[in-house]
């Protein structure tokens, strides 16, 4: 039997979901989406059956072309933010079928371009947080969306700013590390933005990008070792034009250090 | 770049932390018997890790396993490196036990009283959640 809190949540969820299907104007959609996001963020994972059922109208509305392809950028970001909340709730099962998830990942990757904005990137940060929180990129890798992984890398390394919250910067690092560690194979195209970030001249041009790239490379030193030297050679730059960590990995100097480093991390 | 001479060690370890490099070099085989030296190294390497980042720690654990297997399979560890790893492991275990004792003496922290599973895509881990 549902308690009062659960009954209240299911009622509100159904109501908002039905309204979303009927509204189309921006000034009506945005507050509805905000309300939905607030409701979703209060839900815990592995919800009860009544909660799951009450999510259905919203799930359908959010994946509809009317919302997912809405012309207003703020609406699209809010829709994506709600969808990533739903992925958090339904983990470890994806809430939509494979083709729908691929479409969602395209939009998620595109949303990270908003990180470059001085203001108005809050929704992108919410999306970033949810993607990191439940390791959603595991699904992306399962669906072989490798081009989207590359796009994410490019956005993170190009748009990282010192004014981004620390948890956001950590999420970028975590997502990139996860993608590299969980990839069966690492393509040169995936390594290119990483190498570009730790090119010595980039240290002055984009110090935050340099730091992020260096951290990710260090995190994945063992995984990257078979691929990194070839990527350096393909880049047209000399090995010593990159951060020292690249040289250390290519010349097999970093393994001992990283083993100890990881032992301490695990402590 | 910052160099830190740590007596004598028979291996060279270069550690990069946020742009600083620390180099340990030397030839004294007895150095590894020095608890202070190993504790210094551990303190140098120990980062601040949030207690809510259990997923991250699991990822690190996986990395660690991969690295250990990698180094073992390739036979690249020399005897001195193996001894360093062994010493670091021993100290980490001892410190963990000490921390456990300290926690017990103070009673359980209420902020960790409730453990809530967080389901990840691909794995299930526990994090502490404040009441």
């Amino acid at each position: 039997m549902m308690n009062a809190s659960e009954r209240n949540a299911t009622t509100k969820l159904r109501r908002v979901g039905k309204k979303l299907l009927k509204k189309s104007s921006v000034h009506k959609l945005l507050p509805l989406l905000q309300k939905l996001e607030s409701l979703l963020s209060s839900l815990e994972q592995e919800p009860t059956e009544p909660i799951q059922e009450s999510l259905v109208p919203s799930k359908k509305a959010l994946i509809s072309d009317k919302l997912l392809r809405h012309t207003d950028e703020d609406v699209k970001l809010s829709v994506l933010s709600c969808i990533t909340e739903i992925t958090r709730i339904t983990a470890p099962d994806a809430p939509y079928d494979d083709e729908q998830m691929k479409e969602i990942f395209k939009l998620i990757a595109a949303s990270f371009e908003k990180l470059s904005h001085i203001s108005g990137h809050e929704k992108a940060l919410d999306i970033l947080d949810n993607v990191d929180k439940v390791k959603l990129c595991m699904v992306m890798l399962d669906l072989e969306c490798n081009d989207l992984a590359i796009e994410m890398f490019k956005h993170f390394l190009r748009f990282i700013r010192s004014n981004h919250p620390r948890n956001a910067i950590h999420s970028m690092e975590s997502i990139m590390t996860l993608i590299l560690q969980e990839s069966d194979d690492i393509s040169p195209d995936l390594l290119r933005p990483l190498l570009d970030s730790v090119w010595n001249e980039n240290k002055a041009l984009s110090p935050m990008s340099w730091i992020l790239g260096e951290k990710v490379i260090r995190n994945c030193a063992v995984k990257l070792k078979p691929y990194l030297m070839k990527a350096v050679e393909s880049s047209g730059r000399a090995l010593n034009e990159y951060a020292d960590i690249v040289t250390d990995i290519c010349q097999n100097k970093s393994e001992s250090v990283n083993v100890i480093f990881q032992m301490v991390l695990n402590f | 770049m910052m160099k830190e001479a740590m007596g004598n060690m028979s291996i060279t370890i270069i550690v990069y932390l946020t742009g600083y490099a620390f180099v340990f070099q030397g030839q004294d085989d007895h150095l590894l018997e020095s608890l202070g030296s190993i504790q210094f190294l551990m303190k140098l390497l120990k980062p601040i890790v949030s207690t809510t980042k259990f997923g991250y720690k699991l990822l690190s654990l996986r990395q660690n396993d991969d690295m250990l297997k990698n180094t073992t399979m390739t036979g690249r560890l020399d005897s001195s490196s193996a001894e360093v790893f062994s010493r670091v492991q021993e100290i980490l275990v001892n410190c963990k036990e000490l921390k456990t004792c300290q926690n017990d003496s103070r009673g359980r922290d209420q902020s960790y009283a409730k453990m809530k599973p967080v389901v990840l895509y691909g794995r299930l881990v526990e994090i502490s959640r404040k009441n």
Side-chain angles (χ1 to χ4, degrees), chain A residues 129-153:
Chain A
D129 180 58
N130 272 327
V131 169
D132 176 38
K133 189 181 297 179
V134 295
K135 304 293 186 281
L136 188 59
C137 286
M138 297 286 286
V139 178
M140 186 177 73
L141 293 175
D142 285 343
L143 296 174
E144 299 181 351
C145 299
N146 301 320
D147 53 335
L148 298 181
I150 295 167
E151 186 179 346
M152 287 185 182
F153 274 45

Side-chain angles (χ1 to χ4, degrees), chain A residues 44-45 87 257-258 260 267, chain B residues 14 45 67 92 116 119 121:
Chain A
E44 295 190 350
Q45 292 179 302
T87 66
V257 163
N258 277 287
I260 295 176
F267 178 61
Chain B
I14 303 173
L45 289 169
M67 297 177 85
L92 289 175
K116 183 70 178 180
V119 184
Y121 285 90

Side-chain angles (χ1 to χ4, degrees), chain A residues 221 245 248-249 251-259, chain B residues 14 67:
Chain A
I245 186 64
D248 292 344
I249 293 170
Q251 296 182 350
N252 196 31
K253 292 181 178 176
S254 64
E255 283 186 17
S256 297
V257 163
N258 277 287
V259 169
Chain B
I14 303 173
M67 297 177 85

Side-chain angles (χ1 to χ4, degrees), chain B residues 9-86:
Chain B
M9 292 183 75
S10 58
I11 60 173
T12 299
I13 302 175
I14 303 173
V15 182
Y16 293 88
L17 291 173
T18 61
Y20 293 94
F22 299 84
V23 182
F24 305 93
Q25 296 175 322
Q27 294 295 329
D28 186 353
D29 290 337
H30 296 292
L31 180 65
L32 295 175
E33 300 299 319
S34 167
L35 192 65
S37 300
I38 300 300
Q39 286 176 328
F40 171 78
L41 180 62
M42 188 185 71
K43 183 182 291 186
L44 178 70
L45 289 169
K46 185 177 176 63
I48 298 172
V49 177
S50 167
T51 56
T52 64
K53 296 296 183 181
F54 277 62
Y56 179 63
K57 293 190 77 175
L58 283 183
L59 187 61
S60 300
L61 179 63
R62 178 182 173 129
Q63 290 172 356
N64 186 50
D65 288 342
D66 290 343
M67 297 177 85
L68 288 174
K69 289 175 183 176
N70 183 276
T71 52
T72 301
M73 289 174 66
T74 58
R76 290 173 178 161
L77 285 181
D78 59 38
S79 59
S80 298
S81 298
E83 192 166 356
V84 170
F85 297 152
S86 175

Side-chain angles (χ1 to χ4, degrees), chain A residues 103-127:
Chain A
E103 186 64 27
I104 289 167
F105 283 123
K106 287 179 185 176
L107 296 173
I108 287 174
S111 77
F112 293 145
E113 188 173 6
K114 305 299 181 183
L115 296 171
S116 67
H117 296 181
I118 295 174
S119 61
H121 55 238
E122 291 78 14
K123 289 296 180 187
L125 294 174
D126 291 339
I127 293 166

Side-chain angles (χ1 to χ4, degrees), chain A residues 199 201-207:
Chain A
W199 180 38
E201 292 201 12
N202 194 50
K203 190 169 186 179
L205 294 171
S206 183

